[in-house]
């Protein structure tokens, strides 16, 4: 791979990781029940329970499912030799 292609790939991966982190932080912060992130990280109840028992597992599962779907889509594109 040439240097411009490698830097473009690195930039795309960096943008993807930044988008994943931003979406994860936003989805953990927002919900039907407003919580204080500072109180949740300090361990104050019920904020800590809401964050660590409900929201973070959902965020992690959504990220894993999204990565699995992207991998399956890329594998299918490669298998069918679709130039898209």
């Amino acid at each position: 791979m040439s240097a411009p292609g490698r830097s473009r790939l690195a930039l795309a991966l960096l943008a993807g990781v930044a988008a994943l982190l931003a979406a994860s932080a936003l989805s953990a912060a927002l919900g039907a029940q407003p919580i204080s992130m500072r109180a949740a990280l300090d361990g104050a109840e019920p904020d800590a329970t809401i964050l660590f028992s409900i929201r973070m597992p959902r965020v992690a599962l959504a990220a894993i499912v999204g990565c699995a779907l992207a991998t399956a889509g890329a594998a299918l594109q490669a298998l069918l030799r679709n130039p898209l």
Side-chain angles (χ1 to χ4, degrees), residues 22-75:
S24 296
L26 188 63
S27 65
L30 298 176
Q33 176 68 32
I35 64 170
S36 168
M37 291 301 279
R38 181 175 301 278
L41 294 175
D42 286 341
E45 295 297 330
D47 294 343
T49 301
I50 292 171
L51 180 65
F52 295 116
S53 296
I54 298 173
R55 292 186 186 173
M56 290 308 288
R58 286 183 186 174
V59 168
L61 183 62
I64 291 169
V65 169
C67 290
L69 287 171
T71 303

